[in-house]
Amino acid sequence: MKTAWPQLVYPDLKDTIATVQLWTQIVGKIRLKAMPWLNHSWHVTLYVSPSGLSTHSIPYGDRSFQIDFDFIAHQLIVTCSSGQQQTLGLYPRTVANFYQELFEKLATLGIAVEIYAKPNEVDPAIPFAEDEEHKTYDKQQIAVFHKALLNIDSIFTKFRAGFSGKCSPVHFFWGAFDLAVTRFSGRRAPLHPGGAPNMPDKVMQEAYSHEVSSCGFWPGSDAFPHPAFYAYCYPTPADFGQQPVKPAEAFYSTDMGEYFLKYEDVIRSANPEKALMDFLQSTYLAAANTGNWDRENLECDFSWLKQ
């Protein structure tokens, strides 16, 4: 059966995304503080779930808790292993209001987590408790975005299965608000220069401590008002951007040092799933071939197990 791929229109989506991104930063920072540090900041991420985005289980003393964005029922749900649960409504409300009520709910559950209460990777970084500016929540737009994430997560997961080397989970970074999966060559990389807005350089340098080929999905920005897939590698060989990639609509940005494929070009194709998989695979090959990765020992094919 062909998957139904929804239309994503950046001007319709952008204000809701701007607000929800900040909400996810608050939730993501709770996970960051409560979890042990994992390499490449993998402990901070969220995960696509059938109803929205989830922290998955977070250990806390002799209990565990989980926070879920439900974009179907439009609730934020905090669930404890003790059987307790608290919910917040998702509707047009300010970041400051969301932040205050969430921490009140956590206190009711006996959960005390102190976060750095300003956003990362956005500029300006308005403290959460003071942000009365971002307050848009369009239920239809976030539901459409979630449907797209479900489809993309499925394809990214299939792509991840073709690699036996070190590879990240398919996970959602709330800093840049993107879904990503990253493959590693196994070799250390040169020191990364850092430079992300409101992000410590040492965090970026640990994230890129080893050679990577990374791909992801991002909802766009005012400077590039198109939801898009991207692919890059670090370090970047001089001939990386000159490699043949698929589908034909994919292009390389010399300014960004990345390949891009607009979401709209994927869903307009005769086979969106194949178009996206072709992009993921061909851009990985661009990185692996120009970077002299040991492909023979890093790649795998388990399709025979299903026969």
Side-chain angles (χ1 to χ4, degrees), residues 159 213-215 230-232 240 244-246 250 259-260 278-288:
F159 171 69
S213 172
S214 189
C215 55
Y230 64 80
Y232 65 89
F240 171 66
V245 299
K246 299 177 182 178
Y259 286 98
F260 289 94
D278 284 347
F279 178 74
L280 302 177
Q281 181 64 18
S282 63
T283 53
Y284 158 70
L285 290 177

Side-chain angles (χ1 to χ4, degrees), residues 223-246:
F224 187 80
H226 305 276
F229 300 95
Y230 64 80
Y232 65 89
C233 61
Y234 182 77
T236 309
D239 51 350
F240 171 66
Q242 289 135 32
Q243 302 308 300
V245 299
K246 299 177 182 178

Side-chain angles (χ1 to χ4, degrees), residues 131-157:
D131 191 345
E132 303 286 343
E133 175 183 341
H134 298 95
K135 54 188 176 184
T136 302
Y137 185 82
D138 185 315
K139 292 182 178 181
Q140 181 178 357
Q141 289 300 315
I142 201 65
V144 167
F145 181 71
H146 173 237
K147 173 60 177 173
L149 285 181
L150 286 171
N151 292 346
I152 297 162
D153 183 76
S154 175
I155 302 301
F156 280 14
T157 300

Side-chain angles (χ1 to χ4, degrees), residues 185 187-190 208 210-212 232-237 240 287 290-291 293:
S185 75
R187 300 187 298 248
R188 292 197 67 88
Y208 292 100
H210 290 70
E211 293 180 351
V212 300
Y232 65 89
C233 61
Y234 182 77
T236 309
F240 171 66
T290 60
W293 286 28

